Amino acid sequence: GQNIDQPTEMTATEGAIVQINCTYQTSGFNGLFWYQQHAGEAPTFLSYNVLDGLEEKGRFSSFLSRSKGYSYLLLKELQMKDSASYLCAVMDSNYQLIWGAGTKLIIKP
Amino acid sequence: GAVVSQHPSWVICKSGTSVKIECRSLDFQATTMFWYRQFPKQSLMLMATSNEGSKATYEQGVEKDKFLINHASLTLSTLTVTSAHPEDSSFYICSARTLGTGDYNEQFFGPGTRLTVL
């Protein structure tokens, strides 16, 4: 079966760095996405990785290792507005997105 | 990025009535649209995938006679919740994709529709 695992909840301090991990087992691989979702809102796109390595975009970076079925989202200089759920999703061989349950990130002052 | 709209944003209805939710891609043609449902504190659950001009493909456990999907054009898909019941109360989100957009097949999400069935 297809499976995406990520921690349920994480807590971090404003100004700090946090890393959210995601492991996956899917039928084929056409890329891994990270989305941010604030409560009561639809997900918004953060990053896409299809090759191994680190993709940096401002305060957010995403890493992928296809051989290990592993990715992480790194958030630097945390701000209170970063409090949200972070969803890891893998596009399988049928170009369907397989979603993780999401990681709720709580930022404390 | 591409814009997807949903209407209505909020709907409250009585049990037994039907509710139609529209999903529109505003500045691109969506070859495929997806309908998701999300219950509180849970992840997105894919309900069905629809390609323009063909019947929707429903995920296991989703009643196709209860959740009617029409993807009549490349910019519009509708989800009709028929004979809604309180357990259908949820956050319904659509997304749209067109193959070949950018370097990857990103899905663009609508803002979601909050359905409350009394």
Side-chain angles (χ1 to χ4, degrees):
Chain A
Q2 308 203 92
N3 194 48
I4 310 285
D5 285 318
Q6 52 182 130
T8 303
E9 186 174 297
M10 299 182 70
T11 302
T13 304
E14 188 177 15
I17 299 173
V18 71
Q19 177 175 311
I20 303 174
N21 296 324
C22 171
T23 58
Y24 64 89
Q25 291 179 310
T26 58
S27 302
F29 180 82
N30 277 303
L32 186 144
F33 295 80
W34 283 96
Y35 284 85
Q36 180 191 60
Q37 186 178 26
H38 285 99
E41 299 179 11
T44 56
F45 171 79
L46 288 179
S47 68
Y48 170 77
N49 294 68
V50 68
L51 300 176
D52 290 350
L54 186 68
E55 295 280 344
E56 297 186 77
K57 190 185 293 185
R59 294 190 297 115
F60 294 3
S61 302
S62 57
F63 171 84
L64 174 67
S65 168
R66 288 172 296 171
S67 62
K68 295 181 179 179
Y70 167 71
S71 172
Y72 67 72
L73 179 69
L74 190 72
L75 294 76
K76 303 176 184 177
E77 302 171 16
L78 286 170
Q79 302 174 9
M80 298 303 293
K81 67 178 182 180
D82 297 329
S83 292
S85 287
Y86 291 85
L87 308 175
C88 173
V90 173
M91 185 167 281
D92 69 9
S93 56
N94 295 318
Y95 294 97
Q96 300 282 50
L97 277 180
I98 311 301
W99 292 88
T103 298
K104 182 179 180 180
L105 178 62
I106 300 170
I107 309 297
K108 295 184 176 180
Chain B
V3 180
V4 176
S5 69
Q6 269 184 254
H7 178 80
S9 301
W10 290 81
V11 57
I12 301 174
C13 68
K14 293 182 178 180
S15 184
T17 61
S18 294
V19 176
K20 179 185 283 188
I21 303 170
E22 291 187 351
C23 177
R24 294 181 184 272
S25 56
L26 298 185
D27 52 1
F28 69 102
Q29 293 184 325
T31 51
T32 305
M33 285 187 170
F34 303 87
W35 286 96
Y36 293 87
R37 180 168 52 182
Q38 186 176 36
F39 292 106
K41 299 184 179 181
Q42 295 186 23
S43 188
L44 297 172
M45 297 291 292
L46 179 65
M47 298 176 66
T49 303
S50 73
N51 293 297
E52 184 265 340
S54 61
K55 290 184 179 180
T57 301
Y58 289 81
E59 296 298 302
Q60 193 171 9
V62 179
E63 300 174 58
K64 61 181 181 181
D65 294 331
K66 180 172 181 62
F67 299 98
L68 302 178
I69 292 173
N70 187 340
H71 192 165
S73 77
L74 286 172
T75 59
L76 173 64
S77 176
T78 60
L79 167 68
T80 301
V81 183
T82 62
S83 186
H85 291 285
E87 58 264 31
D88 298 322
S89 298
S90 186
F91 191 43
Y92 291 85
I93 308 172
C94 75
S95 69
R97 184 188 78 199
T98 183
L99 292 178
T101 298
D103 295 327
Y104 48 86
N105 299 302
E106 180 184 346
Q107 289 186 25
F108 302 97
F109 285 88
T113 297
R114 176 77 58 191
L115 170 64
T116 301
V117 184
L118 302 177

